[in-house]
Amino acid sequence: MSAVGTEVLDREDGVIPPEPPIRWNPLTRIAFRFTFGYFGLFCLLFTQIPFAFAGLLAGSLPDSAVLWEFRAVRPIIEPVGRLFFHADVVLREDSGSGDQYFIWSFVCCVLIVATVSTLIWTALDRRRPNYRRLQAWFLLFVRLCLGGQMLLYGFAKAIPTQMPEPPLAKLLQPYGEFSPASVLWNQVGSSPTYEILLGCAEVLGGVLLFVPRTATLGAMLSLVSLAQVFVLNMTFDVPVKILAFHLVLLSMVLLAPQARRLANVLVLNRPSEPATQPDPFRRNRTRRIAIALQVAVGVWMASGFVHTGLKYWNEGGGGSPKPPLYGIWAVSEFIQDGVPVPPLTTDETRWQRVIFDVSGMTYQKMDGTLVPAVPAVDTAAHKISVSAPPEQPNARPAQIADFTFDQPAPDRLTLNGQLNGRPVTITVRQVDPNSFPLRGRGFNWVQDYPYFR
């Protein structure tokens, strides 16, 4: 074969020459064994991480599908948790908290298993000089897992559903009654543009992770984004601290092989060879196929997150249609048993405001208490039935009120019927939501004086 033919063969499907043998430091080998065991188990069993790989299929799966790994290990996790935490460690499937006792117990079990496996692995495999090939496969697995989480949280903000615009009832709630997490959620939700920019940064970090050539840059961007998320979770008491912390660590695991190169470029101002992620593939053609598959996995995940985000946005988020009577309605007259009831703050039966929102209904008592309710509005029959939220999923809701309504003007409404078993007539007038500075202030280039209210 000619020299030209050999060159073409090497370029098209050549075998990458093996790296010269390098003997890792014993501590490095021990650290890798522990990292492999701990983060491998965490990524496989922490339910949200593998569920991201469902992509477009996630929407057709039942809500309970995301927890199948935790259910599988529950017989182990719960007894261990009770032993270590001396508390009622139970998987709270109805909770969105990622910091419940069960998950802390799960982390404790993974830590124990990783430590024991490291000791056994070290005793049985002391002579191996390094784990370069296994490291390459492991980092590929970590990249895909981290990339999936970056896309998940990124699209949840780029399509602003994770932190939606504050509901109308929140405009009436005193600031001091907000929990720290609620302050953060409503602060970000009050500025959709800011939330979208945050999401785009996270999406970009995730996209870069699915391409080996840009994976180091993606890990750096992910580390910065996730460090901010972790600090916010810690300082605003958001119950996703465990996952956020581990995602920060996964970013650092990806950057660990590049630590010296990054230090040379960013800190020491020294020349450095290119920063490339360890590659488990030896043939160029295999490598190209692997890159295409990695990109395909990223597209598959992103498609699922976009589909889910748009569905939620259109059905329950900012893009969903406003319900009948949407708005804040202030009570101007309240007649009970045929007698006008004065607006006294000590009155426990009189209403002060009524709010109809996308998520349901809320009425405000005279002392300022906001009470959620479930409305059934029939605009054709001009009827409203109001029930209390059910205390149990299958419980029958208790009825609070039953009204007929008349709307003589777009901003006026009269309710006639029964409230807590007593006849009432309630006249309400609509409040412009933009009269609240949080909604109506907007953006201003010129401010002669700061606007703080």
mmCIF file of all heavy atoms in Angstrom, residues 16-58:
data_model
loop_
_atom_site.group_PDB
_atom_site.id
_atom_site.type_symbol
_atom_site.label_atom_id
_atom_site.label_comp_id
_atom_site.label_asym_id
_atom_site.label_seq_id
_atom_site.Cartn_x
_atom_site.Cartn_y
_atom_site.Cartn_z
ATOM 1 N N ILE A 16 -5.595 5.199 17.860
ATOM 2 C CA ILE A 16 -4.845 6.165 18.655
ATOM 3 C C ILE A 16 -3.807 5.415 19.473
ATOM 4 O O ILE A 16 -4.132 4.433 20.162
ATOM 5 C CB ILE A 16 -5.783 6.951 19.578
ATOM 6 C CG1 ILE A 16 -6.833 7.676 18.737
ATOM 7 C CG2 ILE A 16 -5.016 7.919 20.447
ATOM 8 C CD1 ILE A 16 -7.906 8.321 19.551
ATOM 9 N N PRO A 17 -2.540 5.808 19.369
ATOM 10 C CA PRO A 17 -1.504 5.072 20.105
ATOM 11 C C PRO A 17 -1.762 5.135 21.598
ATOM 12 O O PRO A 17 -2.225 6.144 22.124
ATOM 13 C CB PRO A 17 -0.218 5.814 19.729
ATOM 14 C CG PRO A 17 -0.659 7.155 19.263
ATOM 15 C CD PRO A 17 -1.997 6.958 18.629
ATOM 16 N N PRO A 18 -1.507 4.052 22.306
ATOM 17 C CA PRO A 18 -1.737 4.041 23.759
ATOM 18 C C PRO A 18 -0.811 5.020 24.470
ATOM 19 O O PRO A 18 0.301 5.275 24.022
ATOM 20 C CB PRO A 18 -1.439 2.595 24.171
ATOM 21 C CG PRO A 18 -0.528 2.082 23.096
ATOM 22 C CD PRO A 18 -0.942 2.769 21.834
ATOM 23 N N GLU A 19 -1.336 5.567 25.568
ATOM 24 C CA GLU A 19 -0.540 6.496 26.354
ATOM 25 C C GLU A 19 0.566 5.735 27.085
ATOM 26 O O GLU A 19 0.396 4.571 27.451
ATOM 27 C CB GLU A 19 -1.426 7.229 27.356
ATOM 28 C CG GLU A 19 -2.502 8.070 26.694
ATOM 29 C CD GLU A 19 -3.408 8.725 27.727
ATOM 30 O OE1 GLU A 19 -3.303 8.352 28.920
ATOM 31 O OE2 GLU A 19 -4.195 9.604 27.357
ATOM 32 N N PRO A 20 1.696 6.374 27.279
ATOM 33 C CA PRO A 20 2.772 5.705 28.010
ATOM 34 C C PRO A 20 2.319 5.354 29.426
ATOM 35 O O PRO A 20 1.543 6.089 30.041
ATOM 36 C CB PRO A 20 3.889 6.761 28.027
ATOM 37 C CG PRO A 20 3.197 8.054 27.774
ATOM 38 C CD PRO A 20 2.043 7.753 26.895
ATOM 39 N N PRO A 21 2.762 4.228 29.938
ATOM 40 C CA PRO A 21 2.328 3.810 31.281
ATOM 41 C C PRO A 21 2.739 4.828 32.350
ATOM 42 O O PRO A 21 3.870 5.296 32.376
ATOM 43 C CB PRO A 21 3.025 2.467 31.488
ATOM 44 C CG PRO A 21 4.164 2.475 30.523
ATOM 45 C CD PRO A 21 3.736 3.288 29.346
ATOM 46 N N ILE A 22 1.797 5.185 33.168
ATOM 47 C CA ILE A 22 2.031 6.137 34.252
ATOM 48 C C ILE A 22 1.571 5.484 35.545
ATOM 49 O O ILE A 22 0.479 4.917 35.611
ATOM 50 C CB ILE A 22 1.267 7.454 34.026
ATOM 51 C CG1 ILE A 22 1.729 8.133 32.726
ATOM 52 C CG2 ILE A 22 1.448 8.392 35.212
ATOM 53 C CD1 ILE A 22 0.924 9.364 32.377
ATOM 54 N N ARG A 23 2.401 5.555 36.548
ATOM 55 C CA ARG A 23 2.018 4.981 37.838
ATOM 56 C C ARG A 23 1.458 6.091 38.717
ATOM 57 O O ARG A 23 2.157 7.049 39.054
ATOM 58 C CB ARG A 23 3.218 4.317 38.515
ATOM 59 C CG ARG A 23 2.831 3.553 39.775
ATOM 60 C CD ARG A 23 3.923 2.654 40.267
ATOM 61 N NE ARG A 23 3.458 1.810 41.363
ATOM 62 C CZ ARG A 23 2.815 0.657 41.192
ATOM 63 N NH1 ARG A 23 2.581 0.213 39.974
ATOM 64 N NH2 ARG A 23 2.415 -0.054 42.227
ATOM 65 N N TRP A 24 0.187 5.957 39.049
ATOM 66 C CA TRP A 24 -0.454 6.942 39.909
ATOM 67 C C TRP A 24 0.083 6.833 41.335
ATOM 68 O O TRP A 24 0.468 5.760 41.788
ATOM 69 C CB TRP A 24 -1.959 6.726 39.937
ATOM 70 C CG TRP A 24 -2.680 7.164 38.690
ATOM 71 C CD1 TRP A 24 -2.130 7.699 37.571
ATOM 72 C CD2 TRP A 24 -4.083 7.069 38.462
ATOM 73 N NE1 TRP A 24 -3.096 7.963 36.650
ATOM 74 C CE2 TRP A 24 -4.317 7.589 37.167
ATOM 75 C CE3 TRP A 24 -5.172 6.616 39.198
ATOM 76 C CZ2 TRP A 24 -5.595 7.656 36.613
ATOM 77 C CZ3 TRP A 24 -6.441 6.683 38.661
ATOM 78 C CH2 TRP A 24 -6.652 7.195 37.382
ATOM 79 N N ASN A 25 0.045 7.949 42.007
ATOM 80 C CA ASN A 25 0.348 7.967 43.429
ATOM 81 C C ASN A 25 -0.648 7.067 44.170
ATOM 82 O O ASN A 25 -1.825 7.022 43.814
ATOM 83 C CB ASN A 25 0.259 9.417 43.929
ATOM 84 C CG ASN A 25 0.609 9.549 45.391
ATOM 85 O OD1 ASN A 25 -0.167 9.178 46.258
ATOM 86 N ND2 ASN A 25 1.775 10.094 45.655
ATOM 87 N N PRO A 26 -0.201 6.338 45.192
ATOM 88 C CA PRO A 26 -1.141 5.458 45.920
ATOM 89 C C PRO A 26 -2.380 6.193 46.433
ATOM 90 O O PRO A 26 -3.487 5.650 46.387
ATOM 91 C CB PRO A 26 -0.290 4.924 47.083
ATOM 92 C CG PRO A 26 1.107 4.966 46.562
ATOM 93 C CD PRO A 26 1.183 6.169 45.688
ATOM 94 N N LEU A 27 -2.202 7.417 46.909
ATOM 95 C CA LEU A 27 -3.365 8.179 47.385
ATOM 96 C C LEU A 27 -4.307 8.519 46.241
ATOM 97 O O LEU A 27 -5.530 8.549 46.419
ATOM 98 C CB LEU A 27 -2.889 9.455 48.092
ATOM 99 C CG LEU A 27 -2.157 9.257 49.418
ATOM 100 C CD1 LEU A 27 -1.720 10.597 49.999
ATOM 101 C CD2 LEU A 27 -3.042 8.515 50.424
ATOM 102 N N THR A 28 -3.745 8.779 45.062
ATOM 103 C CA THR A 28 -4.586 9.059 43.898
ATOM 104 C C THR A 28 -5.418 7.844 43.530
ATOM 105 O O THR A 28 -6.609 7.953 43.208
ATOM 106 C CB THR A 28 -3.714 9.483 42.700
ATOM 107 O OG1 THR A 28 -2.954 10.638 43.058
ATOM 108 C CG2 THR A 28 -4.577 9.801 41.486
ATOM 109 N N ARG A 29 -4.798 6.662 43.594
ATOM 110 C CA ARG A 29 -5.528 5.444 43.278
ATOM 111 C C ARG A 29 -6.645 5.190 44.293
ATOM 112 O O ARG A 29 -7.759 4.807 43.928
ATOM 113 C CB ARG A 29 -4.558 4.259 43.237
ATOM 114 C CG ARG A 29 -3.749 4.175 41.941
ATOM 115 C CD ARG A 29 -2.761 3.026 41.980
ATOM 116 N NE ARG A 29 -1.569 3.382 42.754
ATOM 117 C CZ ARG A 29 -0.724 2.514 43.259
ATOM 118 N NH1 ARG A 29 -0.963 1.212 43.129
ATOM 119 N NH2 ARG A 29 0.344 2.912 43.912
ATOM 120 N N ILE A 30 -6.363 5.423 45.556
ATOM 121 C CA ILE A 30 -7.394 5.243 46.589
ATOM 122 C C ILE A 30 -8.517 6.245 46.394
ATOM 123 O O ILE A 30 -9.706 5.919 46.486
ATOM 124 C CB ILE A 30 -6.770 5.381 47.988
ATOM 125 C CG1 ILE A 30 -5.805 4.221 48.259
ATOM 126 C CG2 ILE A 30 -7.852 5.426 49.054
ATOM 127 C CD1 ILE A 30 -5.022 4.357 49.548
ATOM 128 N N ALA A 31 -8.148 7.492 46.092
ATOM 129 C CA ALA A 31 -9.158 8.519 45.867
ATOM 130 C C ALA A 31 -10.046 8.174 44.678
ATOM 131 O O ALA A 31 -11.269 8.369 44.720
ATOM 132 C CB ALA A 31 -8.484 9.875 45.645
ATOM 133 N N PHE A 32 -9.440 7.645 43.618
ATOM 134 C CA PHE A 32 -10.255 7.267 42.464
ATOM 135 C C PHE A 32 -11.211 6.141 42.807
ATOM 136 O O PHE A 32 -12.386 6.149 42.403
ATOM 137 C CB PHE A 32 -9.369 6.848 41.292
ATOM 138 C CG PHE A 32 -10.152 6.295 40.141
ATOM 139 C CD1 PHE A 32 -10.835 7.141 39.282
ATOM 140 C CD2 PHE A 32 -10.249 4.914 39.946
ATOM 141 C CE1 PHE A 32 -11.584 6.621 38.232
ATOM 142 C CE2 PHE A 32 -11.003 4.397 38.899
ATOM 143 C CZ PHE A 32 -11.667 5.253 38.040
ATOM 144 N N ARG A 33 -10.732 5.128 43.539
ATOM 145 C CA ARG A 33 -11.608 4.012 43.896
ATOM 146 C C ARG A 33 -12.811 4.498 44.694
ATOM 147 O O ARG A 33 -13.948 4.073 44.454
ATOM 148 C CB ARG A 33 -10.817 2.977 44.702
ATOM 149 C CG ARG A 33 -9.728 2.261 43.917
ATOM 150 C CD ARG A 33 -8.802 1.487 44.833
ATOM 151 N NE ARG A 33 -7.627 0.965 44.117
ATOM 152 C CZ ARG A 33 -6.411 0.923 44.623
ATOM 153 N NH1 ARG A 33 -6.188 1.321 45.877
ATOM 154 N NH2 ARG A 33 -5.406 0.445 43.908
ATOM 155 N N PHE A 34 -12.562 5.402 45.642
ATOM 156 C CA PHE A 34 -13.669 5.924 46.446
ATOM 157 C C PHE A 34 -14.600 6.769 45.583
ATOM 158 O O PHE A 34 -15.833 6.644 45.666
ATOM 159 C CB PHE A 34 -13.137 6.754 47.612
ATOM 160 C CG PHE A 34 -14.230 7.396 48.426
ATOM 161 C CD1 PHE A 34 -14.911 6.663 49.391
ATOM 162 C CD2 PHE A 34 -14.604 8.720 48.214
ATOM 163 C CE1 PHE A 34 -15.930 7.240 50.135
ATOM 164 C CE2 PHE A 34 -15.615 9.302 48.952
ATOM 165 C CZ PHE A 34 -16.283 8.563 49.907
ATOM 166 N N THR A 35 -14.037 7.642 44.764
ATOM 167 C CA THR A 35 -14.850 8.509 43.910
ATOM 168 C C THR A 35 -15.703 7.676 42.956
ATOM 169 O O THR A 35 -16.890 7.965 42.747
ATOM 170 C CB THR A 35 -13.942 9.460 43.105
ATOM 171 O OG1 THR A 35 -13.171 10.245 44.013
ATOM 172 C CG2 THR A 35 -14.754 10.376 42.209
ATOM 173 N N PHE A 36 -15.098 6.653 42.385
ATOM 174 C CA PHE A 36 -15.822 5.774 41.466
ATOM 175 C C PHE A 36 -17.002 5.118 42.177
ATOM 176 O O PHE A 36 -18.126 5.089 41.667
ATOM 177 C CB PHE A 36 -14.864 4.719 40.917
ATOM 178 C CG PHE A 36 -15.494 3.775 39.947
ATOM 179 C CD1 PHE A 36 -15.550 4.074 38.596
ATOM 180 C CD2 PHE A 36 -16.025 2.562 40.385
ATOM 181 C CE1 PHE A 36 -16.133 3.197 37.697
ATOM 182 C CE2 PHE A 36 -16.615 1.676 39.496
ATOM 183 C CZ PHE A 36 -16.677 1.998 38.146
ATOM 184 N N GLY A 37 -16.771 4.573 43.365
ATOM 185 C CA GLY A 37 -17.831 3.891 44.089
ATOM 186 C C GLY A 37 -18.910 4.837 44.576
ATOM 187 O O GLY A 37 -20.110 4.567 44.407
ATOM 188 N N TYR A 38 -18.486 5.965 45.171
ATOM 189 C CA TYR A 38 -19.466 6.869 45.779
ATOM 190 C C TYR A 38 -20.340 7.535 44.726
ATOM 191 O O TYR A 38 -21.573 7.467 44.769
ATOM 192 C CB TYR A 38 -18.757 7.920 46.627
ATOM 193 C CG TYR A 38 -19.730 8.854 47.322
ATOM 194 C CD1 TYR A 38 -20.307 8.488 48.533
ATOM 195 C CD2 TYR A 38 -20.091 10.068 46.760
ATOM 196 C CE1 TYR A 38 -21.213 9.313 49.172
ATOM 197 C CE2 TYR A 38 -20.998 10.907 47.385
ATOM 198 C CZ TYR A 38 -21.553 10.524 48.591
ATOM 199 O OH TYR A 38 -22.461 11.346 49.205
ATOM 200 N N PHE A 39 -19.712 8.222 43.767
ATOM 201 C CA PHE A 39 -20.496 8.972 42.789
ATOM 202 C C PHE A 39 -21.168 8.051 41.773
ATOM 203 O O PHE A 39 -22.218 8.402 41.221
ATOM 204 C CB PHE A 39 -19.617 10.011 42.098
ATOM 205 C CG PHE A 39 -19.230 11.141 42.995
ATOM 206 C CD1 PHE A 39 -17.940 11.244 43.493
ATOM 207 C CD2 PHE A 39 -20.160 12.092 43.374
ATOM 208 C CE1 PHE A 39 -17.589 12.275 44.340
ATOM 209 C CE2 PHE A 39 -19.826 13.123 44.214
ATOM 210 C CZ PHE A 39 -18.531 13.221 44.706
ATOM 211 N N GLY A 40 -20.569 6.869 41.525
ATOM 212 C CA GLY A 40 -21.250 5.918 40.661
ATOM 213 C C GLY A 40 -22.567 5.476 41.257
ATOM 214 O O GLY A 40 -23.617 5.474 40.586
ATOM 215 N N LEU A 41 -22.555 5.094 42.547
ATOM 216 C CA LEU A 41 -23.793 4.699 43.219
ATOM 217 C C LEU A 41 -24.771 5.861 43.324
ATOM 218 O O LEU A 41 -25.978 5.697 43.104
ATOM 219 C CB LEU A 41 -23.473 4.161 44.621
ATOM 220 C CG LEU A 41 -23.044 2.704 44.736
ATOM 221 C CD1 LEU A 41 -22.660 2.383 46.166
ATOM 222 C CD2 LEU A 41 -24.169 1.787 44.270
ATOM 223 N N PHE A 42 -24.261 7.030 43.682
ATOM 224 C CA PHE A 42 -25.153 8.187 43.845
ATOM 225 C C PHE A 42 -25.883 8.493 42.545
ATOM 226 O O PHE A 42 -27.098 8.714 42.538
ATOM 227 C CB PHE A 42 -24.343 9.405 44.310
ATOM 228 C CG PHE A 42 -25.195 10.605 44.618
ATOM 229 C CD1 PHE A 42 -25.725 10.771 45.890
ATOM 230 C CD2 PHE A 42 -25.484 11.556 43.643
ATOM 231 C CE1 PHE A 42 -26.533 11.878 46.183
ATOM 232 C CE2 PHE A 42 -26.277 12.646 43.922
ATOM 233 C CZ PHE A 42 -26.806 12.812 45.191
ATOM 234 N N CYS A 43 -25.157 8.528 41.439
ATOM 235 C CA CYS A 43 -25.782 8.868 40.161
ATOM 236 C C CYS A 43 -26.757 7.794 39.698
ATOM 237 O O CYS A 43 -27.775 8.102 39.062
ATOM 238 C CB CYS A 43 -24.715 9.096 39.092
ATOM 239 S SG CYS A 43 -23.731 10.591 39.337
ATOM 240 N N LEU A 44 -26.478 6.540 40.007
ATOM 241 C CA LEU A 44 -27.372 5.464 39.590
ATOM 242 C C LEU A 44 -28.639 5.399 40.436
ATOM 243 O O LEU A 44 -29.702 5.025 39.930
ATOM 244 C CB LEU A 44 -26.649 4.122 39.664
ATOM 245 C CG LEU A 44 -25.593 3.846 38.589
ATOM 246 C CD1 LEU A 44 -24.851 2.561 38.907
ATOM 247 C CD2 LEU A 44 -26.243 3.767 37.204
ATOM 248 N N LEU A 45 -28.557 5.761 41.712
ATOM 249 C CA LEU A 45 -29.667 5.546 42.635
ATOM 250 C C LEU A 45 -30.405 6.811 43.032
ATOM 251 O O LEU A 45 -31.539 6.712 43.525
ATOM 252 C CB LEU A 45 -29.168 4.834 43.902
ATOM 253 C CG LEU A 45 -28.595 3.428 43.704
ATOM 254 C CD1 LEU A 45 -28.097 2.862 45.024
ATOM 255 C CD2 LEU A 45 -29.651 2.510 43.092
ATOM 256 N N PHE A 46 -29.785 7.983 42.870
ATOM 257 C CA PHE A 46 -30.523 9.210 43.186
ATOM 258 C C PHE A 46 -31.523 9.435 42.055
ATOM 259 O O PHE A 46 -31.163 9.768 40.935
ATOM 260 C CB PHE A 46 -29.584 10.407 43.324
ATOM 261 C CG PHE A 46 -30.228 11.575 44.011
ATOM 262 C CD1 PHE A 46 -30.081 11.765 45.368
ATOM 263 C CD2 PHE A 46 -31.015 12.478 43.299
ATOM 264 C CE1 PHE A 46 -30.691 12.837 46.019
ATOM 265 C CE2 PHE A 46 -31.624 13.542 43.929
ATOM 266 C CZ PHE A 46 -31.462 13.728 45.297
ATOM 267 N N THR A 47 -32.786 9.255 42.364
ATOM 268 C CA THR A 47 -33.811 9.004 41.341
ATOM 269 C C THR A 47 -33.864 10.055 40.241
ATOM 270 O O THR A 47 -34.097 9.723 39.074
ATOM 271 C CB THR A 47 -35.186 8.919 42.021
ATOM 272 O OG1 THR A 47 -35.419 10.125 42.768
ATOM 273 C CG2 THR A 47 -35.238 7.745 42.958
ATOM 274 N N GLN A 48 -33.671 11.303 40.561
ATOM 275 C CA GLN A 48 -33.829 12.361 39.567
ATOM 276 C C GLN A 48 -32.778 12.277 38.462
ATOM 277 O O GLN A 48 -33.036 12.657 37.322
ATOM 278 C CB GLN A 48 -33.743 13.728 40.249
ATOM 279 C CG GLN A 48 -33.938 14.904 39.312
ATOM 280 C CD GLN A 48 -33.965 16.216 40.056
ATOM 281 O OE1 GLN A 48 -34.856 16.473 40.847
ATOM 282 N NE2 GLN A 48 -32.975 17.060 39.811
ATOM 283 N N ILE A 49 -31.582 11.773 38.786
ATOM 284 C CA ILE A 49 -30.494 11.746 37.803
ATOM 285 C C ILE A 49 -30.762 10.737 36.693
ATOM 286 O O ILE A 49 -30.743 11.091 35.512
ATOM 287 C CB ILE A 49 -29.148 11.490 38.508
ATOM 288 C CG1 ILE A 49 -28.823 12.680 39.427
ATOM 289 C CG2 ILE A 49 -28.034 11.280 37.492
ATOM 290 C CD1 ILE A 49 -27.544 12.524 40.224
ATOM 291 N N PRO A 50 -31.036 9.456 36.983
ATOM 292 C CA PRO A 50 -31.344 8.534 35.874
ATOM 293 C C PRO A 50 -32.665 8.849 35.185
ATOM 294 O O PRO A 50 -32.833 8.564 33.998
ATOM 295 C CB PRO A 50 -31.363 7.153 36.546
ATOM 296 C CG PRO A 50 -31.532 7.414 37.995
ATOM 297 C CD PRO A 50 -30.913 8.742 38.277
ATOM 298 N N PHE A 51 -33.628 9.453 35.904
ATOM 299 C CA PHE A 51 -34.921 9.754 35.298
ATOM 300 C C PHE A 51 -34.777 10.755 34.149
ATOM 301 O O PHE A 51 -35.580 10.767 33.217
ATOM 302 C CB PHE A 51 -35.882 10.311 36.347
ATOM 303 C CG PHE A 51 -37.305 10.442 35.857
ATOM 304 C CD1 PHE A 51 -38.106 9.319 35.730
ATOM 305 C CD2 PHE A 51 -37.833 11.676 35.519
ATOM 306 C CE1 PHE A 51 -39.410 9.430 35.277
ATOM 307 C CE2 PHE A 51 -39.138 11.795 35.063
ATOM 308 C CZ PHE A 51 -39.934 10.667 34.950
ATOM 309 N N ALA A 52 -33.724 11.601 34.214
ATOM 310 C CA ALA A 52 -33.508 12.572 33.144
ATOM 311 C C ALA A 52 -33.279 11.892 31.801
ATOM 312 O O ALA A 52 -33.576 12.456 30.749
ATOM 313 C CB ALA A 52 -32.317 13.474 33.486
ATOM 314 N N PHE A 53 -32.759 10.658 31.818
ATOM 315 C CA PHE A 53 -32.495 9.941 30.576
ATOM 316 C C PHE A 53 -33.776 9.459 29.904
ATOM 317 O O PHE A 53 -33.727 8.980 28.771
ATOM 318 C CB PHE A 53 -31.580 8.745 30.845
ATOM 319 C CG PHE A 53 -30.157 9.123 31.142
ATOM 320 C CD1 PHE A 53 -29.764 9.466 32.431
ATOM 321 C CD2 PHE A 53 -29.214 9.165 30.135
ATOM 322 C CE1 PHE A 53 -28.445 9.826 32.710
ATOM 323 C CE2 PHE A 53 -27.898 9.517 30.402
ATOM 324 C CZ PHE A 53 -27.519 9.862 31.691
ATOM 325 N N ALA A 54 -34.920 9.575 30.581
ATOM 326 C CA ALA A 54 -36.191 9.176 29.966
ATOM 327 C C ALA A 54 -36.565 10.086 28.811
ATOM 328 O O ALA A 54 -37.334 9.690 27.927
ATOM 329 C CB ALA A 54 -37.305 9.156 31.015
ATOM 330 N N GLY A 55 -36.055 11.320 28.797
ATOM 331 C CA GLY A 55 -36.295 12.229 27.688
ATOM 332 C C GLY A 55 -37.768 12.441 27.413
ATOM 333 O O GLY A 55 -38.569 12.727 28.312
ATOM 334 N N LEU A 56 -38.172 12.270 26.150
ATOM 335 C CA LEU A 56 -39.560 12.492 25.753
ATOM 336 C C LEU A 56 -40.510 11.463 26.360
ATOM 337 O O LEU A 56 -41.723 11.688 26.412
ATOM 338 C CB LEU A 56 -39.675 12.451 24.224
ATOM 339 C CG LEU A 56 -39.120 13.679 23.489
ATOM 340 C CD1 LEU A 56 -39.041 13.403 21.995
ATOM 341 C CD2 LEU A 56 -39.984 14.900 23.757
ATOM 342 N N LEU A 57 -39.992 10.323 26.814
ATOM 343 C CA LEU A 57 -40.849 9.309 27.431
ATOM 344 C C LEU A 57 -41.292 9.702 28.826
ATOM 345 O O LEU A 57 -42.235 9.114 29.366
ATOM 346 C CB LEU A 57 -40.117 7.964 27.485
ATOM 347 C CG LEU A 57 -39.788 7.300 26.137
ATOM 348 C CD1 LEU A 57 -39.024 6.008 26.378
ATOM 349 C CD2 LEU A 57 -41.063 7.029 25.347
ATOM 350 N N ALA A 58 -40.607 10.674 29.443
ATOM 351 C CA ALA A 58 -40.924 11.044 30.827
ATOM 352 C C ALA A 58 -42.372 11.495 30.972
ATOM 353 O O ALA A 58 -43.024 11.215 31.977
ATOM 354 C CB ALA A 58 -39.973 12.147 31.302
#
